[in-house]
Amino acid sequence: MSENYKVPTMAEMAGKGETPEVLFWVGCAGSFDERYKAVTQAFVKILNKVGVSFAVLGPEEACTGDPARRAGNEFLFQMQAVANIQVMNGYEVKKVVTACPHCFNTIKNEYPALGGNYEVIHHSQFLQQLINEGKVTLKGGGEFKGKKITFHDSCYLGRANNVYEAPREVIKALDVELVEMKRCKTKGLCCGAGGAQMFKEPEPGKKDINVERTEEALATGATTIAVGCPFCLTMMTDGVKNKEREADVKVYDLAEMIAKDMGI
Amino acid sequence: MSFLPQLAFVLILGVAGYILSKRIKFLRRNIFLGKAETRNDHTDDRWKTMALVAFGQQKMFKRIIPALLHLLIYVGFVVINLEVLEFILDGILGTHRLFAPFLGGVYTAAMNMFEFLAVAVLFSCVVFLTRRYVTKVERFQKPEMKGWPALDATLILVIEIILMIAVLTMNATDQILAERGADHYLALGPLFFSGLIRPLFEGMSLEALHFIERFAWWFHIVGILAFAVYVTYSKHLHIFLAFPNTWYSNLKPKGEMVNMPEVTNEVNMMLGIPTEAASNPSAEIGRFGAKDINDLSWINVMNAYSCTECGRCTSECPANLTGKKLSPRKIMMDVRDRAEEVGKSIDAGGPGLEDGKSLLGDYITKEELNACTSCNACVEACPVNIDPLSIILQMRRYVAMEESGTPAQWNAMFQNMETSFSPWKFSPSDRFNWAEKVKEEEM
């Protein structure tokens, strides 16, 4: 009777002569990271439920090049970027949504200089739109109801692109108590993974940045730490483990929280 | 005989003007050791940014207490300098309180306002010294603040305090002299703040009062001129450079890294994409990234000269907070110090940039560069819109592309990206495997 979830690729749709409204850019973490795949799956389920016309690039997607560029390797970044732009322009992509703020920043701000011009939005903004338009109706009675939740700003969403309210609006729609950390929004403290730090050990110091940030999140008394970035998710999850609080404190992406509330 | 003070004054003014103009040329030349960059777009937004951030001190108010104290000094500086105009004219013309007869009661009111501001400046400077030496605010205790930077900050505060005491002393003695009917002295209406210290001088002879009044007058005006020269050797340059620095702010999203068109040309050629530049190769491709100050943009170097070492950047830097070597403030100080070194060398007929040293290595280490998370906290924190991240990322480009000196783990990441199109070592054919599970689930 009921149908299965669908994950159409751009190639399949092009084969049928169709063009989706929006390309869901999954990103490397969304494709390969064991934990973050759940976020990709949750977001795809939401898109299916709402009936958004979307497609993914599937095996045709490649890293945006963000970590290579931040680590100084401009050649490698541009090789990745130009190849991705060729693929996207080939499919005449107009609009891109992604759950990764690094992909978001790169495609939105850095691809235009290389010939890739798209309307790019982060999944927090997309979810906010769906909620505002009434396409996603939240029951607010799920596992988050009345609970204390704190939101950790991702640098590449917040300071880098001035998106502070969309993720908060999404969380508030869940009928929860949103508690802010002392360093939030423009003053938000990095999780420690940006600028290609995700891919190497930290430089010598007296503490790991994710532990510092996790301590601040725990100090709010929140039992859920909400994030909107795959790297932040990893760093905060590791931080919670480091503080041995994984039994009572969970780290979730916004899409997972919405999907849970929708019962999918 | 009576022309002697006027002559001396004009001479001092001339010497100060000459030194200042030399210093300004030196600083200007140093700033333009940086590469040319045009940033004149969106002029409306630029004027607005300058009005809000520099003139309006908008970003200072992220920290309310230092913001209020700083505001008092800032307003005091701007307003009291109106009085300096009268000082200069009096000095040249040999007059005394030139404007008083024309302005009457308004003059007394203005003097009272100046005195209030002088006391406010004095108060703020004392609190700022307390923050540095008694409560020891952490960001002033960092390693890069040892030595000259700490002395520089202290000198500025002490000089300002002494200059304000000179103004109040001058007004107090001046009014006693006027009341006793001494020649040339004009009785104004009551002056509140200098009135408070009048008892200190009431018992003195006319000669002593006259000496103190003249001494305070000369001390104040010569002090201001000397201070203006001092500023050009000091972190205090922000009082002028904050304005152009904010005008030339980066107005693009902070996350955007500047493209390197010279790389784009090569990438397009490698991928067989026709480009305009491919058929007409540019005469000379310089270095990739930044090794020294001449590889940076002149705006980066102006940023460095605009830095007043307040350390708000460093106090918000996640790397610095967790004990890493990186301090965004030190990055700015290093760029400035290197520009000074090169500038002095050139002026002395020395090797300048070719002195065997460079910004990378001799001033900034790879360890510092490698600690940055590119989170933009420093950029956001800076009250005058300095961008340390831009410099860090340009230097990382040099390390990666000219030295192949990136950490081994980054090299492995590069390799993964080249072969598997992902920073992790996964097969590209597995990229879409995540969808299998969802596709099996019923909606």
Side-chain angles (χ1 to χ4, degrees), chain B residues 7-284:
Chain B
L7 202 64
F9 184 82
V10 173
L11 202 66
I12 290 169
L13 201 61
V15 169
Y18 175 73
I19 298 173
L20 266 178
S21 71
K22 291 274 280 186
R23 288 295 301 163
I24 290 165
K25 272 187 201 152
F26 174 77
L27 294 170
R28 195 185 139 79
R29 194 272 322 276
N30 288 359
I31 286 171
F32 286 113
L33 287 170
K35 279 199 292 197
E37 179 184 354
T38 310
R39 210 185 252 184
N40 298 327
D41 57 327
H42 299 97
T43 45
D44 286 358
D45 291 340
R46 299 196 172 281
W47 288 112
K48 207 173 125 191
T49 306
M50 189 177 90
L52 282 173
V53 178
F55 190 74
Q57 316 247 305
Q58 187 187 44
K59 287 176 86 182
M60 280 299 288
F61 279 86
K62 288 178 171 226
R63 297 189 188 188
I64 191 78
I65 291 170
L68 288 171
L69 294 163
H70 181 269
L71 183 70
L72 293 176
I73 298 183
Y74 168 64
V75 174
F77 173 80
V78 173
V79 175
I80 292 173
N81 273 340
L82 295 175
E83 197 192 358
V84 172
L85 180 68
E86 187 189 39
F87 268 77
I88 289 175
L89 290 174
D90 277 343
I92 295 170
L93 302 171
T95 49
H96 185 71
R97 295 199 186 275
L98 180 66
F99 297 158
F102 303 105
L103 297 174
V106 176
Y107 188 89
T108 303
M111 277 303 137
N112 269 305
M113 188 174 67
F114 293 156
E115 286 194 353
F116 163 73
L117 287 169
V119 171
V121 170
L122 215 156
F123 168 76
S124 290
C125 289
V126 169
V127 178
F128 280 158
L129 281 172
T130 312
R131 284 164 59 85
R132 280 175 186 266
Y133 289 101
V134 182
T135 59
K136 297 198 180 219
V137 172
E138 203 190 342
R139 60 193 156 100
F140 300 130
Q141 319 299 323
K142 297 275 174 183
E144 67 267 23
M145 298 309 287
K146 301 277 178 281
W148 166 245
L151 178 63
D152 188 17
T154 309
L155 281 173
I156 292 161
L157 292 170
V158 171
I159 292 170
E160 286 179 1
I161 289 172
I162 295 174
L163 288 175
M164 293 308 113
I165 291 174
V167 170
L168 295 168
T169 305
M170 184 191 77
N171 279 356
T173 49
D174 175 272
Q175 286 307 294
I176 301 172
L177 285 162
E179 277 175 24
R180 294 201 198 160
D183 275 354
H184 312 303
Y185 290 97
L186 280 168
L188 307 170
L191 298 179
F192 180 76
F193 291 99
S194 62
L196 296 176
I197 56 166
R198 273 180 63 161
L200 290 173
F201 307 104
E202 299 275 15
M204 291 184 180
S205 67
L206 272 181
E207 289 72 27
L209 285 169
H210 185 71
F211 177 79
I212 293 172
E213 191 277 332
R214 282 293 87 193
F215 182 83
W217 189 91
W218 280 95
F219 186 87
H220 186 69
I221 188 66
V222 174
I224 280 178
L225 294 172
F227 189 58
V229 173
Y230 175 83
V231 164
T232 67
Y233 290 91
S234 153
K235 66 158 190 141
H236 213 53
L237 263 176
H238 80 291
I239 60 177
F240 302 113
L241 285 179
F243 293 89
N245 200 65
T246 48
W247 199 89
Y248 285 103
S249 293
N250 174 25
L251 298 177
K252 293 185 175 159
K254 289 194 188 72
E256 179 181 337
M257 267 179 83
V258 179
N259 195 50
M260 292 178 71
E262 63 270 41
V263 171
T264 311
N265 289 336
E266 297 205 14
V267 167
N268 283 343
M269 280 191 277
M270 279 161 74
L271 295 174
I273 300 170
T275 60
E276 285 168 37
S279 52
N280 125 49
S282 61
E284 191 190 340

Side-chain angles (χ1 to χ4, degrees), chain A residues 3 70 74 110 156 197, chain B residues 257 370 372 374 397 443:
Chain A
E3 290 180 58
R70 265 79 201 159
E74 182 74 8
E110 298 179 355
Y156 275 78
Q197 298 296 336
Chain B
M257 267 179 83
N370 289 344
C372 174
S374 71
R397 280 175 164 167
M443 254 175 93

Side-chain angles (χ1 to χ4, degrees), chain A residues 29-251:
Chain A
S31 303
F32 294 119
D33 183 272
E34 274 312 316
R35 172 69 186 84
Y36 209 68
K37 277 191 224 173
V39 176
T40 309
Q41 289 155 353
F43 189 59
V44 156
K45 286 182 183 177
I46 297 169
L47 295 176
N48 270 273
K49 279 280 180 198
V50 175
V52 174
S53 156
F54 81 99
V56 297
L57 282 170
E60 287 189 279
E61 192 184 279
C63 175
T64 59
D66 159 83
R69 186 172 235 193
R70 265 79 201 159
N73 194 334
E74 182 74 8
F75 278 98
L76 185 51
F77 161 73
Q78 292 202 13
M79 293 291 284
Q80 297 291 119
V82 169
N84 280 323
I85 290 167
Q86 279 190 314
V87 171
M88 285 198 278
N89 287 355
Y91 289 122
E92 296 181 359
V93 169
K94 299 276 182 297
K95 187 173 177 181
V96 180
V97 63
T98 178
C100 174
H102 297 265
C103 298
F104 167 71
N105 177 68
T106 302
I107 302 174
K108 177 175 174 283
N109 297 324
E110 298 179 355
Y111 278 16
L114 298 167
N117 295 286
Y118 321 102
E119 182 197 343
V120 189
I121 59 171
H122 185 247
H123 79 325
S124 62
Q125 298 169 307
F126 197 76
L127 290 170
Q128 187 199 10
Q129 282 171 17
L130 293 178
I131 293 166
N132 288 352
E133 289 165 6
K135 290 183 181 160
V136 165
T137 39
L138 297 167
K139 296 193 279 292
E143 75 173 88
F144 300 111
K145 186 179 170 57
K147 284 202 176 147
K148 269 193 185 176
I149 294 184
T150 190
F151 178 69
H152 163 77
D153 287 281
S154 149
C155 308
Y156 275 78
L157 193 60
R159 276 187 296 269
N161 289 292
N162 291 317
V163 179
Y164 298 108
E165 290 313 316
R168 288 178 168 78
E169 291 301 316
V170 171
I171 293 168
K172 282 179 194 160
L174 288 164
D175 193 18
V176 297
E177 187 191 343
L178 178 64
V179 284
E180 294 289 358
M181 289 182 253
K182 198 171 158 229
R183 289 174 284 198
C184 66
K185 298 181 186 173
T186 58
K187 286 191 154 202
L189 182 73
C190 177
C191 71
Q197 298 296 336
M198 186 72 191
F199 305 99
K200 72 169 183 55
E201 289 303 310
E203 300 306 305
K206 57 178 162 51
K207 194 175 187 180
D208 282 339
I209 298 171
N210 64 327
V211 174
E212 168 85 11
R213 184 54 163 172
T214 306
E215 284 171 0
E216 192 175 6
L218 295 176
T220 63
T223 50
T224 299
I225 302 169
V227 297
C229 170
F231 297 163
C232 298
L233 185 79
T234 302
M235 298 304 269
M236 298 306 283
T237 306
D238 286 353
V240 170
K241 277 184 199 148
N242 179 286
K243 305 308 288 183
E244 299 181 343
R245 293 287 299 275
E246 63 266 43
D248 59 323
V249 177
K250 302 289 175 211
V251 186

Side-chain angles (χ1 to χ4, degrees), chain B residues 393-411:
Chain B
L393 292 174
Q394 289 178 72
M395 294 182 76
R396 277 190 182 179
R397 280 175 164 167
Y398 177 83
V399 173
M401 292 190 280
E402 297 278 359
E403 286 192 333
S404 300
T406 37
Q409 285 176 304
W410 276 355
N411 292 336

